Amino acid sequence: MPTVSMTVNGKAVSAEVEERTLLVSFLRDSLGLTGTHVGCDTSQCGACVVHVNGDSVKSCTMLAVQAEGANVTTIEGLASGEELHPVQKAFREHHGLQCGFCTPGMVMSAVDLLQKKKSPSEAEIREWLEGNICRCTGYHNIVKAIQAAAGAM
Amino acid sequence: MGAQGIGARVPRVEDQRFLTGRGRYTDDINRPHQTYAWILRSPHAHARIRSIDTSAAKSAPGVVAVFTGADMEVGSLPCGWQVTSKDGTPMKEPPHPPLARDYVRHVGDQVAVVIAETKAQARDAAELIEVDYEVLPAAVSIQAALAPDAPKVHQDLPDNVCYDWELGDKAKTEEAFANARHVVKLDIVQNRLIPNAIEPRAAVGDYDSGTGKYTLYTTSQNPHVIRLLMGAFVLNIPENKLRVVAPDVGGGFGSKIYHYAEEAIVTWAAGKVNRPVKWTAERSESFVADAHGRDHVTHAELAIDADGKFLGLRVSTLANMGAYLSTFAPSIPTYLYGPLMAGVYATPAIYVEVKAVFTHTTPVDAYRGAGRPEATYLLERIVTKAAKQLGIDEVELRRKNMVQPDMFPYQTPVLLQYDVGDYPGTMDAAVKAADWYGFAQRRKESEARGKLRGIGMSTYVEACGLAPSAVVGQLGARAGLYESANVRVHPTGSVSVYTGLHSHGQGHETVLAQIVHEYLGVPIENVTVVHGDTDDGQFGMGTYGSRSAPVGTAALVKALEKVVNKAKKIAAHLMEASEADIELKDGNFVIAGTDKSLPFAQVALAAYVPHNYPITELEPGLEGQAFYDPMNFSYPNGCHICEVEVDPETGKVDVVAMTSVDDVGRVLNPLIVEGQTHGGLTQGIGQALLEQCVFDEDGQLVTGSFMDYCMPRADDVPSYNSSTMAVMGASNPLQVKGVGESGTIGATPAVINAVLDALAPLGVEDIQMPASPHRVWQAIQAAKTPMAAE
């Protein structure tokens, strides 16, 4: 089995994995970072979104070995200690989450959007979130939260 | 209302863990020496199992055990409700083994389980199991299952009929139709939906051979009920030897109420292999193995007199049960459907008949709204159709027929007694908020852009707060539907609340803490709400049917009152005052009319360190437990108004505005009420425009992934204009009515009424759900060339 090494949430990690191991399985099973969720098996739901070298990526669409040497940020690495990232804060203030299962992917995806576009319109936010499915919130408060976070960042 | 009390817009306490990746869902749980289960599922909708050869699988790398139905001799998965047919016979209740024996009855039916050291090994080994199937013809649709020569879903059930039920006064309804000036007829198909909570189901079974105790971690909305059903009916394990834990659960929408085969399989197998066994569904499994929702075919007729007054309603429905009876299944198209046929209207005669049918498909059970969306959809469609047919303003037709505010309590002709409401009031508020009468101008603007604009309305009333035990007992429920709470005040004044409810998105950890704060003055940071573990709290019935607020909080209030009453006695002793003069205000006991006060925490401490204590009259300790059984259902109601734009070239429907005014009674936390409403509206729009479960004629699920089953996404729905209007008087202590399901109930008919309004100028009179671009385009083409549609 190959050994894979990368930086996850600022920490160098290394582990032996089967070649077929997905990045999401590596994060969850090898590193115990269970904040990244698996909600489907067709790369549609977006619950597993993390950042790889700064860009949002569905971690079920890439193999762990493809992330060799990469800089990976998961939901666990977003806040500074107990101080939430502005997007996390805005999700809380605006009730942008209910069951919390899609939330990590939703937040990581939103953070990437705001990195790429400072004040996206409602339509742009909704289009960006096309790859993140939420069954609870109806998206209304997620959109509001992202707009509020854009103002705060 | 304080900053943290009842009615305050308090951000949720549970969010911190969910936002930082520290939620703990079932698939996040790993037990020492754990094994992994892979369930081999039937690829056929209907087949006889001639033989199963597991020898190659058993010797595959990493395999610990392989079990089939022949190995797993346990009880049948039970059904929680009984329905009695018109002729007095009980419903047909065929056995539902956790692992199939002899026959498979739907694609995805469980055939065998492989237990191995890794999930990949279990999955690889499952491919080595050789099942010799005699593939048989399948009865996939309701109509196919009712055909004279239909394949039998259960061998000893010749006609595939589960029950043939009725409700209401048939003769009186016939008479109403005989006297009617107008009769409006409607045929509808309630499209079958797949709930798709974003967390796939999972279950971890564990067995302690030292104590003989089993533990099941599972994605459930009601762990106590799962313990009862699985322990008593399937595996024969008494409660004291079975712990069921439902940790953080990623959405339910009904689909995680039921006791599923996989829960029994991993628990039973953990005992057999004497190691923990973990199973996590892949989404493809969820599509075939989670109970589906809706799936009716209905004909309805409304009798109306010369003045536009409703005289009678008759409804005939065929309901698909799928291959087996899921836990709540028989009650959904009956008790949660027929009694809702009065809606907000004072229709004097109603008759409903429902035939439930087994088919070779995944079982069908409650999905958000459960029976009430089905009833409301047909009622609000037929009322709008009546208004158009009779040329009456539909707002006025509704108003004329509504139960008026001075008519409460109102006994409907179909079981329910509505306690309180202002149906014209909520409708008028929605009409105003949506600028209903300013629509013509907006339609013109859309026309100028080449779009067809339509507006549609729906009112609704639903029965929530499941449920008065005596009533549902008479209706066939095999359980009571009370709720429980235990308030444990700790020595320093912090509080743990144990509830029989379960939170899987509803924010109970916040709302219940707000209620504790309201009654005891303890800051919500010092209140922990404990739920989801049968070893950590008393029995309770869980969360579904919008019952947490009307039933669960009532139990909590009763428990809090017990705590306050006892604490007042202690405070009176400590303050050397009469108990009657003691009041609890903002976290302090005060003697009325004086400035003497004593903090709540000091009274709590005295209860646990009873040196100076009325020990001859009171036991030490400060804890209150209560069970609350409601006297009536609660009746949330409201009015939803939708505006759509249709592109006549492509048939695509855009929801451009959605307004809701809901009377949910007292609002405990507006943030949460709004969130529940938005989510419900989106699922309602999903049913109307996007979602449909499709099987081919062989029973293969065509819509078996998120690439084929159209879930509502962020760019499919608008931002909502939602508000509440509280008419007080619901029959529970906090006068709350429930908000979990209203969105899915009101939105769907409002959307379709809007689509039909948009298409009306082209001559389109009807459309089935979901009103997909393809269907809308076809309807437009058919209306253009009527002959071509023949």
Side-chain angles (χ1 to χ4, degrees), chain B residues 472-688:
Chain B
V472 296
Q474 286 169 17
L475 292 180
R478 290 163 167 164
L481 283 167
Y482 49 82
E483 198 40 78
S484 68
N486 187 45
V487 175
R488 182 174 296 167
V489 180
H490 301 294
T492 64
S494 64
V495 176
S496 294
V497 173
Y498 300 83
T499 175
L501 301 170
H502 185 278
S503 185
H504 32 278
Q506 298 87 345
H508 294 162
E509 292 171 34
T510 305
V511 177
L512 299 194
Q514 286 179 257
I515 296 169
V516 172
H517 174 75
E518 182 80 25
Y519 277 74
L520 303 183
V522 177
I524 63 170
E525 295 77 15
N526 292 353
V527 180
T528 293
V529 175
V530 182
H531 63 95
D533 185 341
T534 59
D535 268 11
D536 208 0
Q538 69 295 334
F539 189 87
M541 296 303 293
T543 290
Y544 40 83
S546 306
R547 68 189 305 278
S548 293
V551 190
T553 70
L556 175 58
V557 166
K558 280 183 70 180
L560 283 164
E561 284 170 350
K562 289 181 183 179
V563 166
V564 170
N565 287 341
K566 182 170 180 182
K568 276 186 179 172
K569 289 187 170 71
I570 303 168
H573 175 88
L574 293 173
M575 298 169 88
E576 298 176 338
S578 160
E579 187 193 328
D581 294 335
I582 301 286
E583 290 170 9
L584 178 53
K585 268 191 190 161
D586 302 327
N588 291 294
F589 290 94
V590 297
I591 302 171
T594 75
D595 58 0
K596 282 184 78 177
S597 81
L598 187 64
F600 177 80
Q602 281 195 25
V603 174
L605 188 65
Y608 288 95
V609 187
H611 294 163
N612 174 19
Y613 196 81
I615 201 75
T616 53
E617 296 154 41
L618 276 186
E619 295 172 7
L622 192 52
E623 184 162 342
Q625 185 175 83
F627 283 68
Y628 174 84
D629 202 326
M631 298 302 290
N632 192 355
F633 294 94
S634 60
Y635 298 97
N637 61 86
C639 180
H640 295 182
I641 294 174
C642 177
E643 272 185 58
V644 298
E645 267 189 354
V646 180
D647 183 337
E649 300 300 318
T650 64
K652 182 160 190 311
V653 178
D654 283 325
V655 177
V656 291
M658 188 85 205
T659 302
S660 63
V661 176
D662 298 298
D663 169 13
V664 299
R666 187 189 303 280
V667 171
L668 301 175
N669 181 333
L671 205 58
I672 286 173
V673 166
E674 288 157 14
Q676 289 290 315
T677 303
H678 300 155
L681 292 173
T682 302
Q683 285 175 325
I685 293 171
Q687 171 163 24

Side-chain angles (χ1 to χ4, degrees), chain A residues 20 28 34-35 37 39-41 44 75 88 92 95 97-101 122 126 130 135-140, chain B residues 12 19 25 27-28 120 124 194-195 250-251 283-284 367 505 671 675 678-679 682 691 712-715 717 719-720:
Chain A
R20 60 177 163 176
R28 287 182 58 81
T34 55
H37 295 152
C40 74
D41 45 14
Q44 291 287 308
I75 189 71
Q88 291 170 310
R92 181 166 190 269
H95 190 32
L97 65 152
Q98 291 182 25
C99 80
F101 199 80
E122 176 177 346
R126 288 183 180 276
E130 222 267 341
R135 195 55 149 167
C136 294
T137 65
Y139 305 102
H140 179 110
Chain B
R12 302 194 316 169
L19 282 165
Y25 300 88
D27 189 49
D28 301 339
D124 289 347
I194 302 181
R283 178 59 58 184
S284 309
Y367 167 64
L671 205 58
H678 300 155
T682 302
E691 298 182 43
R713 306 200 185 211
D715 53 0
V717 292
S719 284
Y720 299 113

Side-chain angles (χ1 to χ4, degrees), chain B residues 359-549:
Chain B
T359 60
H360 287 109
T361 63
T362 300
V364 179
D365 205 324
Y367 167 64
R368 197 172 193 173
R372 291 151 289 174
E374 294 92 314
T376 303
Y377 180 73
L378 83 82
L379 197 55
E380 291 299 306
R381 283 282 317 278
I382 206 167
V383 168
T384 292
K385 187 174 179 182
K388 303 218 172 194
Q389 198 169 310
L390 275 59
I392 304 176
D393 178 309
E394 65 178 294
V395 175
E396 294 314 314
L397 180 66
R398 284 186 167 88
R399 187 190 313 283
K400 182 191 280 263
N401 284 287
M402 278 175 170
V403 176
Q404 299 299 317
D406 61 2
M407 290 164 72
F408 293 96
Y410 175 76
Q411 177 63 52
T412 74
V414 275
L415 292 177
L416 300 177
Q417 191 184 72
Y418 299 160
D419 50 8
V420 65
D422 179 0
Y423 305 148
T426 49
M427 180 173 69
D428 287 338
V431 162
K432 192 170 170 216
D435 186 22
W436 174 271
Y437 289 110
F439 173 71
Q441 182 58 34
R442 299 192 292 280
R443 174 173 263 176
K444 262 192 201 150
E445 288 161 13
S446 295
E447 268 171 11
R449 286 182 285 108
K451 298 287 176 70
L452 301 164
R453 196 174 182 113
I455 190 164
M457 164 185 289
S458 167
T459 62
Y460 72 91
V461 59
E462 50 164 333
C464 286
L466 304 184
S469 294
V471 175
V472 296
Q474 286 169 17
L475 292 180
R478 290 163 167 164
L481 283 167
Y482 49 82
E483 198 40 78
S484 68
N486 187 45
V487 175
R488 182 174 296 167
V489 180
H490 301 294
T492 64
S494 64
V495 176
S496 294
V497 173
Y498 300 83
T499 175
L501 301 170
H502 185 278
S503 185
H504 32 278
Q506 298 87 345
H508 294 162
E509 292 171 34
T510 305
V511 177
L512 299 194
Q514 286 179 257
I515 296 169
V516 172
H517 174 75
E518 182 80 25
Y519 277 74
L520 303 183
V522 177
I524 63 170
E525 295 77 15
N526 292 353
V527 180
T528 293
V529 175
V530 182
H531 63 95
D533 185 341
T534 59
D535 268 11
D536 208 0
Q538 69 295 334
F539 189 87
M541 296 303 293
T543 290
Y544 40 83
S546 306
R547 68 189 305 278
S548 293

Side-chain angles (χ1 to χ4, degrees), chain B residues 117-179:
Chain B
E117 299 295 339
T118 70
K119 188 172 181 175
Q121 286 172 331
R123 187 178 192 165
D124 289 347
E127 290 185 13
L128 302 175
I129 297 175
E130 285 187 26
V131 186
D132 183 6
Y133 291 109
E134 178 191 348
V135 179
L136 300 168
V140 178
S141 67
I142 295 172
Q143 294 86 345
L146 289 175
D149 53 350
K152 288 186 226 168
V153 181
H154 295 275
Q155 277 54 44
D156 54 356
L157 197 60
D159 60 1
N160 291 325
V161 173
C162 177
Y163 55 75
D164 186 4
W165 177 84
E166 64 180 347
L167 177 68
D169 189 330
K170 189 176 186 179
K172 198 176 162 196
T173 307
E174 297 304 327
E175 196 187 316
F177 275 84
N179 296 328

Side-chain angles (χ1 to χ4, degrees), chain B residues 672-719:
Chain B
I672 286 173
V673 166
E674 288 157 14
Q676 289 290 315
T677 303
H678 300 155
L681 292 173
T682 302
Q683 285 175 325
I685 293 171
Q687 171 163 24
L689 298 180
L690 306 169
E691 298 182 43
Q692 181 167 29
C693 169
V694 180
F695 292 98
D696 72 11
E697 59 190 18
D698 297 324
Q700 295 294 334
L701 181 62
V702 177
T703 51
S705 83
F706 286 147
M707 299 169 81
D708 308 294
Y709 183 89
C710 191
M711 294 280 281
R713 306 200 185 211
D715 53 0
D716 291 317
V717 292
S719 284

Side-chain angles (χ1 to χ4, degrees), chain A residues 32-99:
Chain A
L33 294 171
T34 55
T36 302
H37 295 152
V38 179
C40 74
D41 45 14
T42 50
S43 293
Q44 291 287 308
C45 80
C48 67
V49 170
V50 299
H51 293 180
V52 177
N53 296 328
D55 287 322
S56 56
V57 165
K58 287 180 176 171
S59 61
C60 71
T61 60
M62 76 190 275
L63 298 168
V65 293
Q66 289 177 293
E68 173 68 32
N71 196 345
V72 176
T73 305
T74 71
I75 189 71
E76 288 93 341
L78 194 60
S80 315
E82 287 303 301
E83 178 67 18
L84 296 179
H85 183 280
V87 171
Q88 291 170 310
K89 252 188 221 166
F91 267 65
R92 181 166 190 269
E93 287 307 309
H94 295 276
H95 190 32
L97 65 152
Q98 291 182 25
C99 80

